[in-house]
Amino acid sequence: MSYVVLAKTGEKLDVGKIVAAGQNYADHTKEMGAEKPSAPVLFMKPSTSIIHAGDPIVYPSVTNLLHHEVELGIVISRDCRDIEPVDAPAHMLGYLLALDLTLRDVQLAAKKRGHPWATAKGFDGSCPISEAIEIDNPSVLRTLELGLVVNDETRQQGNTADMVWTSEELLAAASGFFTLERGDILLTGTPAGVGPLERGDTVEAWLGEELRVWFNVV
Ligand code: MG
């Protein structure tokens, strides 16, 4: 079973699923050539997509264009279904840094044909995560700096203040479709600057003051 580690206690929680939002930063939506969506764009990654900080990112043999996307993730504290944004904070246990790794060539081909993104977004190892920091006050989620460096070159730098939909709004929207269970993770989208990873790259990413992770691409 895949798990997430709570930083303070070291407790491991089972992760059932990962629900992710696409196109949630205007600058990234623009760089992808997409229209601003009128509702959150949601997709899923299976729990088998999880790897942990320090694990190798294994370059999949099924792609020639593996892209990085650095994101704020929310760990769910207790089960919820069809809740309102105002009730979302009561269901947030912690936040973490996640990479929503994407097979961009596979995704672009799928978009062109109107096919699903499941393989492009949900392949094994497509969700590297940090430990989770417990959320005492959900307002901290609104102004977290996040960024990503590849081999000392800054690729992504953003702030969660620029999210189109807030974490609370995304959680509520996701709960309209899926029962969110304790340990599930909600990914909140990536700022601009997504780009390719190659075998041999070193990736460093950060979120807020407390989370900084490294990965090697092999
Ligand atoms: Mg993403």
Side-chain angles (χ1 to χ4, degrees), residues 90-101:
H91 298 272
M92 295 175 171
L93 178 61
Y95 70 92
L96 51 71
L97 182 158
L99 302 185
D100 172 20
L101 296 179

Side-chain angles (χ1 to χ4, degrees), residues 20-22 28 43 69 71 100 102 121 189-190:
H28 172 61
F43 59 92
E69 299 189 358
E71 311 205 355
D100 172 20
T102 303
K121 288 289 196 179
T190 196

Side-chain angles (χ1 to χ4, degrees), residues 28-98:
H28 172 61
T29 304
K30 201 170 158 196
E31 76 177 344
M32 296 306 295
E35 297 283 313
K36 187 186 169 198
S38 56
V41 176
L42 299 175
F43 59 92
M44 290 181 73
K45 294 163 94 80
S47 61
T48 43
S49 66
I50 287 181
I51 64 169
H52 296 274
D55 289 346
I57 292 172
V58 179
Y59 198 101
S61 59
V62 290
T63 189
N64 292 306
L65 196 57
L66 175 65
H67 266 199
H68 55 76
E69 299 189 358
V70 63
E71 311 205 355
L72 161 69
I74 309 291
V75 181
I76 304 299
S77 59
R78 58 193 175 91
D79 299 5
C80 58
R81 167 86 174 110
D82 214 6
I83 62 168
E84 295 295 324
V86 68
D87 297 317
H91 298 272
M92 295 175 171
L93 178 61
Y95 70 92
L96 51 71
L97 182 158

Side-chain angles (χ1 to χ4, degrees), residues 130-151:
S130 70
E131 293 186 334
I133 307 284
E134 279 171 78
I135 297 171
D136 296 321
N137 180 350
S139 68
V140 302
L141 303 175
R142 303 239 171 85
T143 54
L144 289 170
E145 299 271 350
L146 73 172
L148 183 140
V149 169
V150 179
N151 305 332

